[in-house]
Amino acid sequence: MKILHQGFILRIDIDDFKNINENFGVKYGDVALKQVGNCIKKLLTKNQQLYRIVADEFIVMDVVGSKEDARDLYNAIRRSITRYVESINYDIYLTISAGILDFHDYPNKSYNSIMQWTEFALNQSKTNGKNTYTIFKQEAYQEFLRKNKLTKELHKAVNQQFKGFEVYFQPIIDMKTEKIHSMEALLRFECDEFGKISPLEFIPLLEESDLIIPVGRWVLDQALKAVSMFSNIKVQINMSYVQVLKTPALNDILNIIKNYKIENNQLVIELTESGFIESNKNFIDFCNGLKKENILLALDDFGTGYSNFHYLYNLKPDYIKIDRTLMKNALSNEYENRLLKHMVDMAHSVGVKICIEGIEEKEELERIVLLKPDYIQGFYYGRPVSLSVFMESYEI
């Protein structure tokens, strides 16, 4: 292909084409491919050329147009394919996804770059639900490359005995005694290439790659080892939905508890509601297993999801945790304050205790204690720190 300073590349793929071949046969699939090609070809101008590259993918090269022209061409092709599907009474259903590269924005690029970038934009369209287009943006591509590199670093860390991972601990304060009730175990990660990485970035990558399974076991081991040094506090550990749904998580917990000879009720498992939009039998069985073994359960980020009271009824947690966003809203808005007060009262009425997170200032604490939460967590009482610093900083 000639490298251009203007014009565009429109890369098109038939959505779920494999299903057509499997359900109707390869010959029928070839007919469908030819029809899609015809739908594209009849819409092209003299400045545009059609290429079929691999399997069900086509490329349109334009030497003068803009990304807006590419978008219009994509929409015209989609409409043409829809008319074809209607003409055969929906015997098959065809949709297309596309990636667009504007040469005006990215001139003087190599053939390899063009193919990589248009494939990336096409894959974004597939990820976004198919039957749509995506215009290539370098910022999104760099984020994609960073994500891939960071995932490789996480793999390497796991293979090197969890090098770069560390478990930090943050105190949770009992409002009646104003002493430490428990400590939350929080995972941190650092590597040479990227330095310190936010958990908001690396934990989703651990979940997507299933690395959360070995890392989660390691965190559990480190946290229970830490709490075994104390006799009068608990440790709270976030457990990913991936661990619950893909591993014998309860057995792992019980084995590590046995190894460190701690009491079962020294452990609080935190589950984030957003990971369980739909109740899953494995999930329900896991929570029931925790109850049976006298291991405590907390619902984290309560109030930010979809079915809060449904979960309270089904799971009967020991604690619910209110995140900082909800807490801040309650302090700045009377309506939100009343809602949170009713939430606290409702939880207490069914024997569930409330922990409010994110308290950073004395004024916040003074106002939030009026709602009568059971526990407080936040920078006001202490930031997450290593175990050695935690032991030096607090009298337990």
Side-chain angles (χ1 to χ4, degrees):
M1 288 184 185
K2 181 181 178 182
I3 307 304
L4 302 175
H5 296 266
Q6 60 182 351
F8 63 79
I9 288 281
L10 175 65
R11 185 165 180 166
I12 299 169
D13 179 78
I14 303 174
D15 297 325
D16 302 315
F17 184 71
K18 180 182 177 183
N19 292 342
I20 295 175
N21 281 335
E22 290 178 348
N23 294 328
F24 299 95
V26 175
K27 286 187 178 180
Y28 198 105
D30 288 343
V31 172
L33 269 176
K34 185 176 180 180
Q35 290 298 330
V36 170
N38 290 337
C39 288
I40 299 172
K41 192 180 299 182
K42 69 183 181 182
L43 292 167
L44 301 185
T45 69
K46 64 180 181 179
N47 296 315
Q48 295 168 345
Q49 183 65 46
L50 176 65
Y51 302 89
R52 181 182 169 195
I53 45 176
V54 293
D56 58 328
E57 284 192 26
F58 300 86
I59 275 185
V60 175
M61 173 178 279
D62 182 292
V63 296
V64 297
S66 66
K67 54 179 174 281
E68 289 77 20
D69 296 323
R71 177 199 60 202
D72 293 343
L73 176 58
Y74 166 79
N75 287 328
I77 294 168
R78 190 170 64 171
R79 289 192 295 269
S80 179
I81 291 172
T82 298
R83 288 193 293 270
Y84 164 68
V85 170
E86 291 171 347
S87 73
I88 60 173
N89 297 315
Y90 296 93
D91 285 345
I92 59 171
Y93 190 71
L94 292 170
T95 61
I96 57 170
S97 297
I100 296 170
L101 178 68
D102 188 345
F103 287 122
H104 181 268
D105 294 335
Y106 302 99
N108 298 320
K109 294 303 175 184
S110 68
Y111 170 83
N112 286 338
S113 292
I114 290 171
M115 296 305 289
Q116 288 173 354
W117 292 354
T118 54
E119 182 179 21
F120 169 72
L122 174 60
N123 287 337
Q124 280 190 304
S125 297
K126 297 283 189 180
T127 301
N128 292 334
K130 306 175 185 177
N131 197 28
T132 188
Y133 69 90
T134 300
I135 297 172
F136 175 82
K137 293 183 178 178
Q138 188 64 233
E139 297 84 358
Y141 186 62
Q142 291 303 316
E143 184 178 332
F144 165 77
L145 293 179
R146 175 184 169 88
K147 178 178 176 179
N148 285 349
K149 289 179 182 178
L150 181 51
T151 300
K152 290 179 181 178
E153 289 293 323
L154 293 168
H155 272 279
K156 185 168 71 173
V158 170
N159 290 334
Q160 295 179 348
Q161 302 299 311
F162 304 98
K163 179 182 178 182
F165 288 107
E166 187 172 2
V167 178
Y168 275 30
F169 297 90
Q170 185 176 28
I172 297 173
I173 305 302
D174 187 323
M175 286 289 91
K176 289 182 179 179
T177 65
E178 296 190 353
K179 294 182 179 179
I180 294 178
H181 164 265
S182 56
M183 55 184 186
E184 181 175 0
L186 297 162
L187 183 61
R188 298 292 184 260
F189 180 69
E190 183 175 359
C191 63
D192 292 339
E193 182 165 354
F194 295 103
K196 293 181 179 179
I197 307 296
S198 167
L200 295 176
E201 182 177 10
F202 75 78
I203 288 180
L205 297 183
L206 290 175
E207 292 180 331
E208 289 172 20
S209 63
D210 282 350
L211 287 172
I212 195 67
I213 293 172
V215 173
R217 287 197 192 102
W218 179 80
V219 170
L220 189 65
D221 183 87
Q222 296 296 301
L224 294 185
K225 180 181 179 181
V227 82
S228 69
M229 302 176 186
F230 310 102
S231 60
N232 58 340
I233 68 169
K234 306 178 189 300
V235 66
Q236 303 194 184
I237 303 172
N238 289 280
M239 183 158 281
S240 166
Y241 68 97
V242 177
Q243 293 171 265
V244 175
L245 300 183
K246 294 187 178 183
T247 72
L250 183 58
N251 287 341
D252 290 340
I253 291 169
L254 293 173
N255 287 335
I256 299 174
I257 285 176
K258 183 178 179 181
N259 183 47
Y260 289 111
K261 298 181 176 62
I262 68 169
E263 297 297 326
N264 287 22
N265 65 3
Q266 280 187 267
L267 173 61
V268 182
I269 293 295
E270 292 189 16
L271 300 174
T272 300
E273 180 191 357
S274 58
F276 303 97
I277 293 176
E278 295 182 5
S279 293
N280 176 284
K281 184 178 184 302
N282 292 339
F283 171 50
I284 300 297
D285 289 346
F286 172 72
C287 293
N288 288 337
L290 293 177
K291 288 287 184 182
K292 183 179 178 182
E293 297 293 342
N294 198 30
I295 297 167
L296 304 175
L297 171 64
L299 292 186
D300 199 10
D301 295 340
F302 192 82
T304 61
Y306 300 88
S307 308
N308 309 302
F309 300 109
H310 171 73
Y311 287 126
L312 274 182
Y313 174 78
N314 276 345
L315 305 180
K316 299 177 177 61
D318 300 282
Y319 309 92
I320 58 176
K321 301 184 75 175
I322 306 298
D323 84 335
R324 177 168 171 79
T325 300
L326 195 57
M327 180 274 294
K328 288 285 286 182
N329 289 343
L331 294 185
S332 61
N333 181 284
E334 181 62 26
Y335 179 76
E336 296 274 0
N337 189 280
R338 289 179 182 178
L339 283 180
L340 183 53
K341 179 66 168 66
H342 288 313
M343 193 181 295
V344 172
D345 292 342
M346 180 272 304
H348 285 162
S349 72
V350 293
V352 177
K353 295 186 176 181
I354 294 279
C355 175
I356 296 184
E357 301 178 285
I359 302 297
E360 296 182 357
E361 300 170 3
K362 185 177 181 180
E363 181 185 357
E364 291 176 342
L365 177 65
E366 290 173 345
R367 295 178 62 193
I368 215 70
V369 295
L370 299 177
L371 301 178
K372 299 182 179 179
D374 302 282
Y375 308 106
I376 293 290
Q377 181 177 357
F379 293 169
Y380 180 79
Y381 284 108
R383 293 176 177 270
V385 291
S386 66
L387 179 61
S388 60
V389 174
F390 187 92
M391 296 178 72
E392 291 172 0
S393 302
Y394 303 104
E395 294 182 7
I396 300 173

